[in-house]
Structure formats: structure tokens, C-alpha cells
């Protein structure tokens, strides 16, 4: 079931970032603190009462120039209402209603999506006066809150997560869903167009479709594959911050909806922070991943440059050594269908199940050769192993002291699983359980 995407929109200074931090700070939001990954995220995974969602703050995408701020806010509200599952529209209860609020409300009212109108900065005990000013926005009952003091945030989250089950009813599409993702200008649209050539079939029956179809069918050797969220690729803006916001919303949404994420990189530029973050996000969400290095035509002048480029890239991506890398050119069409072949093979890998007997026979000797030890030096006994799930594969290790197995040993086991059984392109999960 796709995790829902909740976007926070509103004018500057109404308290969007404060609300974002309040919501993710209260919960066990996943905050990554790895080298090479900054913590200035404007989106985060969190949950309320066991219901998971991804929260995005448009306040992180504000242009520096005053005369583009208003346009950017409107553009981002538009994207939020089209792409997110729910919009939190924040207004300032201290300032009261201002014309810009009405203009944003006008955009939000047009869509079918659920909008929650949050009147922030209601710090005191009697919200009525501050709230009544906002009924006229035509977005239903305004919900009072104080992001700063953390008041009524629980009520708000009850509303946000209240109808999660309703999004759960979409029929499962048996076609392989491939998302082509990557930062702006890496060549995503070019690749989609190159793959489709003339043979363009548009899906019209997808749930969630408003006016435009959001996915595209690719016919490949008689099989239908879905390229997800291709409509989002056509979006244009002159404002850099809006482009970044579109890019991240589309990325998150596409990852949620896909079976396989093809992360496109631009060979003519070095690997950037944003590229790594996209790879990280797909891996975190346990999708099968293929890395496709596009614009290879600009690099492959001679063998030596190509080899050196590839070596350096693999070195930078060594944390993700299990991901396959394909070198392509959407422009010359070089190896573009290899991307699809590799995506299909990664999908086969993520659906693979290793029999319990085989798993124990093969991994048993590795565990005997290097048994896990607790910090105090006590040996941890792994009794048996079973693959309890596919897509993503989950391996359960039944042992006497499940909490004592450290990260280093987890990596050892994961490497052994990969060296014996493959799972190329597939994030795997290891779970340690009491026998
Ligand atoms: P954003 O631009 O919409 O992201 O707004 P910020 O989150 O940066 O907040 C703008 C200002 O409003 C900051 O000075 C916050 O401390 C203040 N603020 C945010 N939430 C509240 C609140 O609930 N009550 C009060 N009194 N101030 C708040
Ligand atoms: P998107 O923003 O990721 O969808 O990127 P586009 O498909 O719009 O491509 C961005 C730019 O890169 C355009 O100018 C393309 O012509 C160019 N481009 C795309 N693929 C290739 C390629 O394989 N080789 C070269 N040299 N340029 C490419």
C-alpha cells in the first residue's frame, strides 16, 4: 500500500516549518544522519497511530526574490493539490485572513483532493475568534492549532490519518510499474520518449486520474509495462524552487507507486547530493532499483575515459554496490532497452524466494566460520534462517539473543546472502528473532 503524501502549503511566516518540525519531531520520524546526507530535509517519513505518511513542507522551496514568491506559492499549491494525497493549508490566526490566503484557497477549492485548513498560532484556550475569520475560505471547518506550543497537533494528525483506509481500495495492476526518476534535466522525458518512439499508448483507466492520464503504457515484446507518473514530467516552471518542489513530490510519489525505480544520472555532471538522496530514498522504501547513467554519448569518447568514469562512479556508490548500473544515451538510443531488461530482471529478483533448507545449508557454514558475538564477547547462536517474505525479501534469523547482533554482522550476513543468491538491485531486510 503506497504511503500517503501530505503537503504543507501556505504563505511565508504562517508557521509551516514550525508545524513540519512539530509533527516529525513528536513522532519517530526517520531522520538520516549518514555522511554525505544533509539533514536539511524538507520532507520526512513519519506516522501517527501506526499510519505512515510522508510530510513535505513547501516552505523549504521559497524563492529569494520577492516578486516570484507569490507565483511560486501558487504553483506549489497547484502541484500539491494534484500530486499529494492530502494538503495541509496553513493560515495565520494571529494575522487573520489576508488576500493571498483567498487566492491560495481558490486553487485548492478547485480540486477533489482533501484539504485541511489549519489556523496556526492559536496559542490560547479560546480559538473561536481566531478561527471564525477563515470559514469564508470555503474549505470546510478550520482546525485551530499552535505549532509553536504543540497544541491540538494530535487532533490535526487524527484528521490527517483518519481516512487512510480509503486510499487502500485501488485495484492492484498486474503490469510491472517502472518509475523513471532523477533530478531535473538528467533526461527523464527524453528517455521516456525514446522508449516510446511512435508507439504511444496512454492509460486512461488509472485510479487517481483527474483530467490527464498520469501513466504511460510501454509495449515491450508483447508485454505491457507501465511507466508511472510520466504526466509529471511535462510540468514546467521558470522558478528554480518550484522545479525542485515538483521534482521531489514527483519522485516520492513515483517511488510509492512503482515496482522498480530507474534512477537516472547525468554523465556530463558529477554525481551530486541530490542524486544520492534520490537513490537513498528509493532504497529506503525498499523498491528494486536500477541506476541508469544517461548522456553517455558525452563521455564515451574513448575506452579509457569511459573506464575511468565507471570506476569513479562505482567507488562513490560503493554503499549501493548491489545496484546494477547501465550506461545509456536517450539521445542516440544507445542501450535504452537494456534499462527495461535490467528492470525486469531486478523485479524477478525481488520476487524470488529461497527455500529454507537451501538457505540454512548455504549460510550455515558462513555463520560457523564467523559466528556473531555480543559486545561482551558472548557467542550468539543463530538456530535457523527463513525467508519470510518477498518484495522486499525479508530474512528472519532465529537466535538466542536477537537484540545483540550488531550492524557489522548484519552487513556480513547481507553480503553473504548476496554473494550466494544474488538479489541484484533489491534492498533486502534482515530480521533477528527470538527462537
Ligand atoms: P513558514 O515560513 O510558514 O515556514 O513559518 P515558520 O515556521 O518559519 O514560522 C514563522 C514565525 O511564526 C516564526 O517566528 C515562528 O516561531 C512563529 N510561529 C510558528 N508557529 C507559531 C504558533 O503556533 N504560535 C505563535 N505564536 N508563533 C508561531
Ligand atoms: P528531464 O528534466 O529529466 O526530463 O530532462 P530532459 O529529457 O528534458 O532533458 C534535459 C536536457 O538533456 C535536454 O536538453 C535533452 O536534449 C538533453 N539530453 C537528454 N538525454 C540526453 C542524452 O542522452 N545525451 C545528451 N547529450 N543530451 C541529452
Amino acid at each position: 500500500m503506497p504511503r500517503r503524501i501530505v503537503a504543507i502549503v501556505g504563505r511565508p511566516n504562517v508557521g509551516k516549518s514550525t508545524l513540519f518540525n512539530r509533527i516529525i519531531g513528536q513522532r519517530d520520524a526517520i531522520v538520516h544522519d549518514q555522511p554525505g546526507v544533509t539533514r536539511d530535509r524538507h520532507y520526512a517519513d513519519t506516522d501517527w497511530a501506526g499510519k505512515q505518511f510522508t510530510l513535505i513542507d513547501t516552505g523549504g522551496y521559497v524563492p529569494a526574490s520577492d516578486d516570484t514568491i507569490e507565483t511560486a506559492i501558487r504553483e506549489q499549491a497547484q502541484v500539491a493539490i494534484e500530486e499529494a494525497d492530502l494538503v495541509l493549508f496553513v493560515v495565520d490566526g494571529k494575522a487573520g485572513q489576508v488576500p493571498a490566503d483567498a487566492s491560495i484557497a481558490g486553487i485548492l477549492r478547485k480540486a477533489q483532493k482533501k484539504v485541511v485548513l489549519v489556523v496556526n498560532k492559536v496559542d490560547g484556550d479560546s480559538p473561536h475568534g481566531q478561527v471564525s475569520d477563515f470559514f469564508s475560505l470555503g474549505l470546510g471547518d478550520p482546525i485551530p492549532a499552535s505549532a509553536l506550543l504543540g497544541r491540538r497537533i494530535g487532533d490535526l494528525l487524527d484528521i490527517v490519518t483518519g481516512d487512510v483506509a480509503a486510499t487502500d481500495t485501488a485495484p492492484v495492476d498486474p503490469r510491472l510499474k517502472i518509475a523513471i526518476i532523477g533530478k531535473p534535466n538528467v533526461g527523464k522525458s527524453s528517455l521516456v520518449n525514446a522508449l516510446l518512439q511512435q508507439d504511444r499508448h496512454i492509460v486512461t483507466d488509472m485510479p487517481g486520474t483527474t483530467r490527464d492520464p498520469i501513466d504511460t503504457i510501454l509495449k515491450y515484446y508483447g508485454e505491457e509495462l507501465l511507466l508511472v507518473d510520466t504526466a509529471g514530467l511535462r510540468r514546467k516552471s521558470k522558478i528554480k524552487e518550484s522545479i525542485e518542489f515538483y521534482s521531489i513530490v514527483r519522485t516520492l510519489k513515483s517511488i510509492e507507486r512503482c515496482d522498480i525505480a530507474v534512477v537516472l544520472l547525468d554523465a556530463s555532471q558529477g554525481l551530486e547530493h541530490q542524486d544520492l538522496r534520490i537513490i537513498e530514498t528509493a532504497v529506503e522504501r525498499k523498491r528494486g532499483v536500477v541506476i541508469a547513467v544517461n548522456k553517455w554519448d558525452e563521455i564515451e569518447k574513448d575506452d579509457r575515459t569511459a573506464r575511468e568514469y565507471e570506476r569513479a562512479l562505482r567507488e562513490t556508490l560503493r554503499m549501493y554496490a548491489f545496484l546494477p548500473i547501465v550506461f545509456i544515451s536517450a539521445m542516440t538510443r544507445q542501450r535504452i532497452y537494456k534499462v527495461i531488461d535490467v528492470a525486469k530482471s531486478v523485479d524477478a529478483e525481488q520476487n524470488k524466494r529461497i527455500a529454507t533448507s537451501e538457505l540454512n545449508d548455504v549460510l550455515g557454514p558462513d555463520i560457523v566460520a564467523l559466528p556473531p558475538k555480543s559486545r561482551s564477547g558472548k557467542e550468539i547462536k543463530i538456530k535457523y534462517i527463513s525467508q519470510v517474505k518477498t518484495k522486499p525479501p525479508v530474512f528472519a534469523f532465529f537466535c538466542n539473543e536477537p537484540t545483540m547482533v550488531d550492524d557489522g554482522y548484519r552487513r556480513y550476513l547481507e553480503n553473504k546472502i548476496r554473494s550466494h543468491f544474488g538479489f541484484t538491485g533489491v534492498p533486502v531486510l534482515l530480521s533477528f528473532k527470538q527462537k
Side-chain angles (χ1 to χ4, degrees):
M1 173 188 155
R3 189 195 304 264
R4 48 170 28 197
I5 296 173
V6 177
I8 306 179
V9 306
R11 298 185 291 112
N13 284 317
V14 294
K16 295 185 297 300
S17 314
T18 310
L19 182 64
F20 176 86
N21 288 324
R22 172 64 66 186
I23 293 174
I24 66 164
Q26 271 184 350
R27 315 296 317 146
D28 302 326
I30 303 175
V31 176
H32 293 263
D33 198 9
Q34 295 165 354
V37 177
T38 57
R39 277 171 290 164
D40 62 326
R41 286 198 172 211
H42 307 308
Y43 64 92
D45 293 339
T46 185
D47 73 287
W48 178 251
K51 290 169 180 167
Q52 299 192 318
F53 59 97
T54 300
L55 190 66
I56 312 178
D57 173 18
T58 57
Y61 303 90
V62 182
S65 151
D66 276 351
D67 39 291
T68 48
I69 288 180
E70 189 122 0
T71 317
I73 293 168
R74 294 176 61 92
E75 283 181 348
Q76 293 174 18
Q78 186 70 40
V79 171
I81 201 76
E82 285 172 24
E83 308 287 332
D85 299 295
L86 187 144
V87 175
L88 290 181
F89 174 31
V90 184
V91 293
D92 186 332
K94 270 188 164 167
Q97 200 190 130
V98 302
D101 292 335
S103 123
I104 300 168
I107 296 169
L108 300 179
R109 266 199 316 267
K110 285 197 193 95
Q112 307 293 323
K113 292 275 171 64
K114 181 160 175 182
V115 177
V116 178
L117 172 58
V118 184
V119 183
N120 190 36
K121 308 197 187 178
V122 179
D123 301 337
D125 285 325
S126 50
H128 188 72
Q130 283 171 283
V131 162
S132 58
D133 190 30
F134 294 96
F135 275 102
S136 62
L137 291 177
L139 289 166
D141 287 349
I143 310 298
S146 170
L148 192 66
L149 304 181
R151 300 192 76 173
R152 303 187 193 86
I153 303 296
D155 297 346
L156 180 60
L157 292 175
D158 284 344
I159 296 170
V160 168
T161 55
D163 61 345
V164 163
T167 58
D168 204 2
T169 52
V172 178
D173 192 317
R175 293 174 288 197
L176 181 64
K177 292 184 275 306
I178 300 175
I180 294 172
I181 57 177
K183 68 184 179 203
N185 285 317
V186 291
K188 298 180 295 297
S189 330
S190 306
L191 176 60
V192 169
N193 290 334
L195 287 168
L196 295 173
Q197 299 177 77
Q198 307 305 319
D199 183 31
R200 214 186 151 119
H201 295 260
I202 304 288
V203 188
T204 50
D205 59 351
M206 288 301 295
T209 303
T210 43
R211 288 150 296 156
D212 290 332
I214 53 177
D215 301 330
T216 308
I217 298 177
L218 171 66
K219 283 224 172 101
Y220 189 62
Y221 290 110
E223 183 186 355
E224 285 193 354
L225 308 171
L226 280 188
L227 302 179
V228 304
D229 285 320
T230 43
L233 288 172
R234 291 197 294 268
R235 220 177 253 298
K236 296 282 171 266
S237 170
K238 288 197 167 65
I239 302 169
K240 184 174 129 273
E241 288 78 5
S242 289
I243 297 171
E244 278 170 21
F245 176 66
Y246 299 169
S247 171
I248 204 66
V249 180
R250 178 187 177 266
T251 302
L252 292 170
K253 183 178 168 184
S254 303
I255 291 172
E256 284 307 319
R257 297 186 58 235
C258 77
D259 300 305
I260 300 289
V262 173
V263 181
L264 218 56
L265 306 176
D266 182 341
S268 67
Q269 300 182 335
L271 197 70
E272 290 177 350
H273 197 74
Q274 217 180 332
D275 300 309
L276 283 170
R277 228 203 240 181
I278 292 170
I279 296 170
E280 182 201 23
T281 304
V283 169
E284 236 169 58
R285 284 161 167 74
K286 308 292 174 221
R287 292 306 189 271
V289 175
V290 177
I291 293 180
V293 183
N294 189 34
K295 311 195 189 179
W296 196 236
D297 54 284
E298 295 195 11
I299 299 294
E300 205 175 29
K301 307 280 189 268
D302 60 81
D303 279 0
R304 197 155 162 267
T305 336
R307 269 203 311 274
E308 179 50 30
Y309 184 98
E310 184 171 344
R311 193 202 57 74
L313 179 68
R314 288 194 192 273
E315 172 62 21
T316 316
L317 291 177
R318 64 190 177 284
M319 230 185 115
Y320 300 109
F322 63 97
L323 302 181
I325 306 180
V326 191
F327 297 87
I328 68 166
S329 168
M331 192 178 77
T332 67
R333 306 173 53 81
Q334 184 188 26
R335 286 188 287 268
I336 55 168
Y337 287 103
K338 188 168 180 198
V339 173
I340 304 300
D341 290 332
V342 175
K344 282 166 64 79
S345 74
V346 170
D347 189 55
E349 288 291 284
Q350 69 182 351
N351 284 298
K352 185 166 82 176
R353 192 187 288 273
I354 310 294
T356 302
S357 58
E358 191 184 356
L359 206 51
N360 286 276
D361 289 352
V362 173
L363 286 180
D366 293 327
I367 293 169
V368 172
L370 181 66
K373 285 204 170 56
S374 73
R375 207 164 290 162
S376 61
K378 188 179 163 217
E379 191 174 314
I380 302 164
K381 288 203 168 54
I382 295 176
K383 303 281 176 24
Y384 78 95
I385 314 148
S386 170
Q387 182 181 350
V388 293
K389 212 183 141 299
T390 61
K391 205 182 166 187
V394 179
F395 297 92
F397 292 78
F398 293 89
C399 54
N400 57 341
E401 299 283 1
T403 55
M404 290 193 175
V405 181
D406 65 21
D407 285 350
Y409 200 74
R410 282 170 178 264
R411 275 196 296 279
Y412 171 75
L413 290 174
E414 182 177 334
N415 288 338
K416 288 296 173 190
I417 290 173
R418 292 190 186 283
S419 73
H420 295 303
F421 302 110
F423 292 103
T424 301
V426 182
V428 300
L429 281 149
L430 274 52
S431 124
F432 295 85
K433 295 191 166 156
Q434 191 78 46
K435 173 73 188 88

